[in-house]
Amino acid sequence: MLNAFFLFPQISHILTLSKILPGNQVQDPQKRSALLQKVIEQIWNSRDLHVILQTAVMEIASILGLKKCSFLWYFQHTKQVQVVCETDDGGGDNSEIGYYPLEKFGGVATAIAEGKLLVKCDSASSPKVLGTIANILQQLRGQSPTADTWEANRAQTMLGHAVNLLVPVKGQDGWLGFIACVSATERGWSAAEVEFVQLIAQQLEIAIRQAQLYEQVKKQAQRERLLNQIVRQTRSSLDLETILTGAIEQLLQALEIDRCIVHLVEDQDQGEVLRRDTKSEIDFRRSHLLEVERPPYTPSIDDFDTHGPITEWTIAHRRPVVIPDVSKDPRIGEENQEYQKAAIKSSMVMPVAANGKLHAILYMNQCSKPRSWSKHDRELAGAVADQLAISIQQAGLYAQTRASMEREALLRLIGDRLSRTLDLDTILYTIVREVLKLLHADRAAIYQLGKAGEGKIVVEEFQSNQQDSFIHKLPPNSPAHKIVQERPRAKCEPPKLSDCHCFGQDCWDYTQLYQQGWVRAIDNVAEADFAEDKLACWEQLQITASLSVPILTGSNLWGLLLVHECSGPRQWRQSEIDLLQQLALQLAIAIHQAELYDKARTAAEVAERKAEELEIALRQLSSTQTQLIQSEKMSSLGQM
């Protein structure tokens, strides 16, 4: 038996050949027309592309008595073939739906790549049929098929099946599909059968275009609906976590993905990207990462690499990253622990940026299988990323406005508290306590400069516990000392600043700069340019980050308002520095008023003491005068 494949662009005009298979319904023109009309009606009953294609292959397989009929998509840019749908005769073969490289299709790959019709004929029972088809092919192709060509094409298979008929379904925009027919046994294809499948292919071309247009409209509506929902969330709530969580939940459903993560990579106040010094990695993750996942997958934030290769690449280039198979991406590789733990097979990453500023990174991960991300997927994710950038900006502006209002309210509150007392110790204690509360720092203190080279810590408090703190260097009879006595002391006390004399010398080294209003901010003491003795002093005090703001009363440098971190480095924000400067200004005013009050009180005490002395002198003078008068009277009586 001699089998042969023929590739040619069109055969629909070929008349019915002399070989007619028994029981083949499409040989009769009237029956073929009725069957064709039935298939067309079935195809046009739905606007869903998958239903249309599944209906077509089922009808073709049923009418032509095929073992299997499949519909294929060929993606020229990736050289991949997708088995979209298939039908089986119950032979028990496993489903072949999915994506495959073109080379998996063996000799059929040539026909797929060139978009041509492929027919396999059996010439054993009717050599005349083979000769008739060969003559027609010779006219169509301008060449004569030979026995060598037929023999060379005997091994043309598709995923292990011998393809009997492959009919292209061409579109106007370059997309290319195929109807692949597999018979259980060797069979010959008549021109009527080939023409029947081609006519269905022609109807499919129209139906596919209509379905794709409908799908585009539906996806556009879906995209608009999703974006509108995000806009409504932004308007109803300016809480950034609420906005982002709601957006990625909807994106998870819209794209049918397994994981969606949004990673905030920029601080709204400072604008520093990613590599931030924070007190702990846990705090960073809680404030910068949000994730939603589809069951049975569990959260992966604990294993998320904030300095991973894709994250670094996205920050550097600020362009989308589309990875159909993460194991084949050289930046990730097969041994990447983060992707293995999260079971990520495919990923699409979108930068969330606006006005040249990167706000976040959006990660969309598929865990069940590799995925070829479609143009619609990229457009939808990009549109969501653009809207999220706007939402983050709005939320940031709102947060800044609210923080500014809260800061002003707190400053007024502190000013009101300071105005209620003129006791300097109480004023200093109030400021230190509020600084710890506002900045959530580990230690706050006030250093008062005296004569040249002299100074002292007048107030110092630790935030070892929100309710447990202590203060030292307060006069025993001061109002502030009475308040402190009512509060429990800290469970553990780091070394006090007053216990280390070198710290005072460090303050004096920068006196001239402080005098000009200079603020000294040290994010990481270990990376500061310190001499060994000073570094040892700071390490002894367990200071890892420091902020020093001068307290200026008029043109005089009264002292320093100090804030320290002891648990780790800290990047001081400009808003925190501004707040501390305003508190230092209020403190300077309060100190000046307290000093004026002390002077006035001292003057009053002196005046009162002088008044008392004068009154005593007057009494003594009056008594003396009385005694003199009495003496004169007695003397006069004696003379009489």
Side-chain angles (χ1 to χ4, degrees):
M1 180 181 295
L2 181 62
N3 297 323
F5 278 96
F6 300 101
L7 300 178
F8 50 98
Q10 189 59 259
I11 197 174
S12 61
H13 65 286
I14 301 177
L15 300 176
T16 304
L17 302 179
S18 58
K19 178 178 179 178
I20 301 177
L21 296 178
N24 196 329
Q25 304 176 68
V26 299
Q27 303 302 329
D28 188 318
Q30 292 184 349
K31 291 183 178 180
R32 183 170 69 248
S33 177
L35 289 172
L36 186 62
Q37 184 65 31
K38 173 190 173 186
V39 175
I40 292 173
E41 290 178 356
Q42 292 291 331
I43 289 174
W44 286 96
N45 274 341
S46 175
R47 289 181 295 180
D48 183 88
L49 181 58
H50 188 272
V51 174
I52 291 172
L53 299 178
Q54 186 68 51
T55 300
V57 298
M58 290 179 63
E59 292 293 336
I60 293 172
S62 175
I63 293 172
L64 299 182
L66 301 174
K67 175 186 178 183
K68 184 187 290 286
C69 186
S70 306
F71 188 88
L72 317 176
W73 282 124
Y74 173 55
F75 301 97
Q76 294 180 346
H77 61 289
T78 60
K79 303 298 182 185
Q80 281 195 321
V81 179
Q82 178 191 10
V83 180
V84 181
C85 57
E86 63 183 3
T87 183
D88 203 297
D89 64 353
D93 292 345
N94 293 329
S95 172
E96 293 165 348
I97 294 176
Y99 293 86
Y100 303 90
L102 182 60
E103 55 267 21
K104 284 282 187 180
F105 288 76
V108 181
T110 302
I112 294 175
E114 297 179 0
K116 293 186 176 181
L117 177 69
L118 183 148
V119 182
K120 180 180 180 183
C121 295
D122 176 14
S123 61
S125 58
S126 181
K128 292 183 179 180
V129 174
L130 178 59
T132 304
I133 295 178
N135 292 334
I136 296 171
L137 290 174
Q138 184 176 359
Q139 296 175 6
L140 293 174
R141 300 177 59 200
Q143 64 181 32
S144 176
T146 63
D148 293 339
T149 303
W150 301 334
E151 196 66 33
N153 289 325
R154 290 186 63 184
Q156 306 280 355
T157 59
M158 180 189 78
L159 300 177
H161 302 289
V163 179
N164 303 96
L165 181 63
L166 188 71
V167 179
V169 180
K170 297 183 179 181
Q172 295 178 344
D173 299 328
W175 50 266
L176 194 62
F178 292 91
I179 300 172
C181 301
V182 176
S183 179
T185 59
E186 298 255 354
R187 64 176 292 171
W189 289 90
S190 69
E193 292 172 323
V194 177
E195 182 181 25
F196 177 76
V197 179
Q198 281 191 310
L199 290 173
I200 294 177
Q202 291 175 3
Q203 293 297 318
L204 273 181
E205 290 175 4
I206 301 172
I208 289 171
R209 282 197 294 271
Q210 295 293 331
Q212 288 178 333
L213 180 59
Y214 171 73
E215 190 69 18
Q216 289 177 1
V217 174
K218 187 171 69 174
K219 288 178 177 179
Q220 178 66 25
Q222 179 192 49
R223 182 162 62 245
E224 295 296 332
R225 185 167 56 251
L226 179 57
L227 295 179
N228 289 336
Q229 180 65 24
I230 295 175
V231 171
R232 285 196 296 270
Q233 287 180 346
T234 304
R235 291 175 178 175
S236 62
S237 172
L238 287 172
D239 178 70
L240 190 56
E241 182 175 351
T242 301
I243 295 171
L244 296 179
T245 303
I248 61 178
E249 284 177 350
Q250 294 177 55
L251 191 58
L252 182 85
Q253 300 300 325
L255 292 180
E256 297 181 354
I257 53 180
D258 298 320
R259 295 186 187 279
C260 193
I261 298 176
V262 61
H263 176 196
L264 294 170
V265 298
E266 254 187 1
D267 180 77
Q268 295 298 312
D269 291 330
Q270 196 72 3
E272 294 293 332
V273 179
L274 194 63
R275 292 191 178 277
R276 295 165 44 86
D277 289 326
T278 56
K279 286 190 292 186
S280 69
E281 185 67 16
I282 295 176
D283 292 339
F284 178 83
R285 293 176 184 278
R286 287 176 180 174
S287 60
H288 290 76
L289 293 171
L290 295 170
E291 179 183 21
V292 294
E293 64 281 334
R294 189 188 304 274
Y297 303 104
T298 56
S300 63
I301 287 181
D302 290 342
D303 298 315
F304 184 89
D305 186 1
T306 56
H307 309 296
I310 301 302
T311 299
E312 297 283 8
W313 191 95
T314 305
I315 291 173
H317 298 84
R318 302 198 178 187
R319 297 202 307 267
V321 180
V322 179
I323 307 174
D325 189 343
V326 298
S327 64
K328 297 180 180 179
D329 192 292
R331 293 165 295 187
I332 300 174
E334 298 182 357
E335 304 300 324
N336 188 290
Q337 294 295 318
E338 175 194 358
Y339 283 80
Q340 287 183 358
K341 290 179 180 179
I344 299 173
K345 303 288 192 305
S346 182
S347 182
M348 179 167 60
V349 181
M350 285 285 172
V352 180
N355 300 325
K357 184 177 182 180
L358 182 66
H359 296 286
I361 301 177
L362 196 57
Y363 304 83
M364 291 141 287
N365 300 323
Q366 198 76 45
C367 302
S368 56
K369 59 183 179 181
R371 172 173 178 170
S372 293
W373 301 92
S374 67
K375 181 180 178 182
H376 165 70
D377 296 337
R378 296 192 295 271
E379 289 177 348
L380 179 59
V384 171
D386 291 342
Q387 182 57 51
L388 285 183
I390 298 173
S391 299
I392 291 173
Q393 279 187 322
Q394 292 178 345
L397 290 174
Y398 170 74
Q400 289 178 3
T401 303
R402 184 179 63 180
S404 178
M405 294 175 62
E406 290 178 350
R407 184 175 60 197
E408 295 298 328
L410 287 171
L411 289 173
R412 286 196 299 270
L413 178 61
I414 294 172
D416 180 63
R417 290 179 179 176
L418 294 180
S419 64
R420 294 179 182 177
T421 180
L422 290 173
D423 180 76
L424 182 58
D425 296 323
T426 303
I427 291 171
L428 299 178
Y429 165 73
T430 302
I431 286 292
V432 168
R433 182 180 60 182
E434 294 300 328
V435 165
L436 280 180
K437 185 187 302 182
L438 293 175
L439 299 188
H440 302 284
D442 293 330
R443 169 167 43 202
I446 293 178
Y447 182 82
Q448 183 180 7
L449 283 78
K451 297 179 180 180
E454 296 181 359
K456 61 179 180 178
I457 296 291
V458 291
V459 179
E460 182 177 11
E461 184 174 359
F462 295 91
Q463 189 83 14
S464 57
N465 187 288
Q466 192 71 15
Q467 298 298 328
D468 297 340
S469 58
F470 72 93
I471 287 186
H472 64 90
K473 298 260 182 207
L474 290 179
N477 298 324
S478 67
H481 190 274
K482 296 179 180 179
I483 298 175
V484 174
Q485 287 180 333
E486 298 174 357
R487 301 176 61 190
R489 294 178 62 82
K491 297 179 181 178
C492 59
E493 299 178 1
K496 299 176 182 179
L497 296 175
S498 56
D499 293 340
C500 187
H501 300 291
C502 62
F503 182 80
Q505 183 59 45
D506 181 78
C507 294
W508 272 99
D509 290 343
Y510 300 94
T511 303
Q512 292 183 352
L513 293 174
Y514 288 134
Q515 187 77 42
Q516 301 171 10
W518 177 64
V519 175
R520 186 186 186 192
I522 303 175
D523 296 340
N524 191 340
V525 170
E527 297 178 356
D529 188 15
F530 281 151
E532 292 185 3
D533 55 341
K534 285 191 176 182
L535 181 60
C537 175
W538 288 62
E539 289 178 348
Q540 177 186 346
L541 293 168
Q542 300 179 11
I543 301 174
T544 55
S546 174
L547 184 60
S548 305
V549 177
I551 303 172
L552 297 169
T553 55
S555 59
N556 298 321
L557 179 63
W558 185 90
L560 299 173
L561 179 56
L562 307 171
V563 181
H564 294 156
E565 285 292 330
C566 301
S567 55
R570 172 170 178 169
Q571 189 175 46
W572 301 103
R573 301 179 181 179
Q574 188 59 46
S575 60
E576 295 172 334
I577 295 174
D578 293 342
L579 176 61
L580 213 60
Q581 285 181 308
Q582 293 186 46
L583 287 176
L585 179 60
Q586 285 195 347
L587 179 57
I589 296 172
I591 290 173
H592 181 65
Q593 291 177 342
E595 289 178 344
L596 290 177
Y597 171 72
D598 285 340
K599 290 180 180 179
R601 186 177 59 182
T602 301
E605 290 176 352
V606 171
E608 184 179 357
R609 187 166 55 252
K610 288 183 177 180
E612 290 177 354
E613 291 175 355
L614 181 58
E615 184 178 355
I616 293 172
L618 289 173
R619 288 200 201 100
Q620 290 177 348
L621 179 58
S622 176
S623 176
T624 301
Q625 289 176 345
T626 303
Q627 290 178 358
L628 289 174
I629 293 171
Q630 187 67 25
S631 297
E632 289 178 357
K633 287 182 179 181
M634 294 300 295
S635 176
S636 298
L637 289 174
Q639 291 176 358
M640 291 177 64

